[in-house]
Amino acid sequence: MVDETRDLTGYRLVAAPMLYMLRPGAAERLTRFVEGGGTLVCTCYTGRVDEDDLCFLGGFPGPLREVLGIWAEETDGLYDSETNGIRMEDGATYACSTMCDLIHPETARTLGRYTADFYAGEPCVTMNPYGGGRAYYVATRPDAAFLDAFYGRLLDEAGVDRLLKESQAGVLAASRGERCS
């Protein structure tokens, strides 16, 4: 985990989940990271406000809209007992919960769609090629099976060595040292 003000040089994959508030320079650093060949993953509720908690004008995800290639129209908050689903291009399905952004791909390609409720068939996982890299948007809170499959593929594509080749329930692996890449 690194602070959003930190230099991202040397990283190949950056996950920025629910990056609701963007401090000055954060969007520019993330954009340069993707332009330079990095892989960025953002999730629902990203790019809503600036450092003063003022909403970005011109649509969400604010200054990350171009690099992510999507426009988020609104967010549907689900009750604790509610879930939805994600159907990926390859036919794999996963559960999701908590929040579901209603998004419109502008330059991004749709990789997954919601399976239920009034937004069944609407995009919920996208990928936008940008500069030399790629920016992904996951418009909901997916289950652990999705996270394992999705991040496993991205880590392999980015050439990032994993501490554990397969996730194991209840096991957390960490590396202590200067920096993992």
Side-chain angles (χ1 to χ4, degrees):
M1 296 194 56
V2 297
D3 185 275
E4 70 181 281
T5 62
R6 187 164 177 175
D7 178 26
L8 300 174
T9 303
Y11 290 93
R12 291 180 239 159
L13 173 67
V14 170
M18 295 184 77
L19 191 57
Y20 172 77
M21 181 179 287
L22 291 169
R23 295 189 293 193
E28 293 79 10
R29 272 187 292 287
L30 291 168
T31 299
R32 280 193 309 273
F33 168 74
V34 176
E35 284 176 329
T39 299
L40 172 65
V41 180
C42 291
T43 67
C44 60
Y45 229 52
T46 289
R48 299 305 168 107
V49 300
D50 66 13
E51 73 277 11
D52 296 315
D53 208 23
L54 297 174
C55 286
F56 289 113
L57 301 178
F60 304 125
L64 292 174
R65 184 172 172 176
E66 183 178 336
V67 72
L68 291 168
I70 60 109
W71 167 59
E73 181 177 356
E74 66 178 285
T75 301
D76 185 26
L78 304 180
Y79 291 107
D80 291 343
S81 61
E82 291 181 308
T83 61
N84 203 310
I86 301 169
R87 179 174 305 282
M88 298 297 287
E89 286 179 318
D90 65 5
T93 58
Y94 304 96
C96 60
S97 63
T98 310
M99 289 186 197
C100 295
D101 278 354
L102 302 174
I103 63 172
H104 303 278
E106 296 178 314
T107 57
R109 184 177 127 221
T110 299
L111 303 178
R113 297 180 180 277
Y114 291 112
T115 62
D117 209 358
F118 69 94
Y119 34 64
E122 294 295 319
C124 62
V125 181
T126 62
M127 186 278 297
N128 192 45
Y130 192 85
R134 294 170 295 173
Y136 291 85
Y137 194 79
V138 181
T140 185
R141 184 174 177 198
D143 65 12
F146 173 91
L147 296 174
D148 285 345
F150 181 73
Y151 280 107
R153 184 175 56 83
L154 294 183
L155 289 167
D156 290 344
E157 288 174 2
V160 177
D161 292 330
R162 292 187 258 167
L163 296 174
L164 295 174
K165 294 299 179 194
E166 294 182 21
S167 68
Q168 300 167 2
V171 176
L172 173 66
S175 175
R176 296 174 71 168
E178 289 297 310
R179 182 194 295 196
C180 297
S181 56

